[in-house]
Amino acid sequence: AQSVSQHNHHVILSEAASLELGCNYSYGGTVNLFWYVQYPGQHLQLLLKYFSGDPLVKGIKGFEAEFIKSKFSFNLRKPSVQWSDTAEYFCAVIGFSGGYNKLIFGAGTRLAVHP
Amino acid sequence: EAQVTQNPRYLITVTGKKLTVTCSQNMNHEYMSWYRQDPGLGLRQIYYSMNVEVTDKGDVPEGYKVSRKEKRNFPLILESPSPNQTSLYFCASSLGLGQGGNQPQHFGDGTRLSIL
């Protein structure tokens, strides 16, 4: 069965620090990968997505993620975080197996950025 | 404006009292889905619908029902709510998630249910 693992449940950083959130998935076939962000009290919003091509994907607000197929990973990065990046981040994967393909979410990583 | 609208946003009710959470989208999306979000568990899919009159169970369907009589609406029904259904619920829609379907989902603002 497909699964998504996010290594860090809580991350605390100071402003201007660099960020890397880990995401690993278990599925051997073709995948599409997503990172969603949920700001406090709000719904999930798409941060970035990978479908094919360049494994380094750039998203909104200075975020990027790198798909490393050999490691089944899709880690999210940002060189310099801001207080406004305080939110919960979810990695999600669709594994294509014919017919209906389900979107599976990780448990989420809660990021707190201190001024 | 493209939207997924859920109602109510907040509800406190008692065990056993039937309730319905409505979800409506204005993007003509075929695919709609309900998730519940619980701390440390991320989002878990309850039910999904590929199109009108086509629904199927997700990962945690017990205690829930859905219907898809129209393309835009996908209500979530709790026939006899119990305290373990206290959670934050999200409705989502997208153009499709079938083979080759790689459209991101659009989420509603969430419904926080408390079952006493």
Side-chain angles (χ1 to χ4, degrees), chain B:
Chain B
E1 182 189 349
Q3 277 190 333
V4 178
T5 304
Q6 294 178 228
N7 279 297
R9 293 291 312 280
Y10 304 91
L11 179 64
I12 301 173
T13 189
V14 296
T15 298
K17 186 176 181 182
K18 180 180 177 179
L19 68 92
T20 299
V21 185
T22 63
C23 174
S24 180
Q25 50 94 3
N26 63 359
M27 296 167 279
N28 202 36
H29 284 167
E30 292 138 356
Y31 177 89
M32 297 186 75
S33 180
W34 275 103
Y35 297 88
R36 59 179 289 173
Q37 182 180 9
D38 301 290
L41 297 176
L43 276 79
R44 294 178 293 167
Q45 190 179 53
I46 303 171
Y47 269 94
Y48 65 92
S49 170
M50 298 288 281
N51 214 323
V52 175
E53 301 291 5
V54 181
T55 64
D56 208 346
K57 297 177 181 177
D59 295 317
V60 288
E62 294 77 21
Y64 304 94
K65 285 173 58 177
V66 293
S67 69
R68 187 90 182 272
K69 294 185 170 57
E70 308 162 283
K71 200 170 188 178
R72 63 183 293 124
N73 295 323
F74 190 46
L76 179 70
I77 303 156
L78 285 71
E79 293 272 3
S80 182
S82 62
N84 64 12
Q85 292 177 299
T86 292
S87 187
L88 178 59
Y89 292 84
F90 286 100
C91 180
S93 74
S94 72
L95 280 173
L97 277 184
Q99 189 69 32
N102 50 20
Q103 303 302 319
Q105 295 192 47
H106 297 258
F107 285 85
D109 286 335
T111 295
R112 190 168 289 282
L113 287 185
S114 293
I115 316 294
L116 304 177

Side-chain angles (χ1 to χ4, degrees), chain A residues 32 36 38 43 51 102-103, chain B residues 31 37 59 102 105 108-109:
Chain A
N32 285 352
Y36 284 86
Q38 185 179 30
H43 60 268
F51 295 156
K102 189 161 62 175
L103 182 65
Chain B
Y31 177 89
Q37 182 180 9
D59 295 317
N102 50 20
Q105 295 192 47
D109 286 335

Side-chain angles (χ1 to χ4, degrees), chain A residues 17-37:
Chain A
S18 64
L19 170 72
E20 180 160 3
L21 301 182
C23 173
N24 284 90
Y25 64 92
S26 65
Y27 185 73
T30 302
V31 292
N32 285 352
L33 300 152
F34 306 83
W35 274 98
Y36 284 86
V37 59

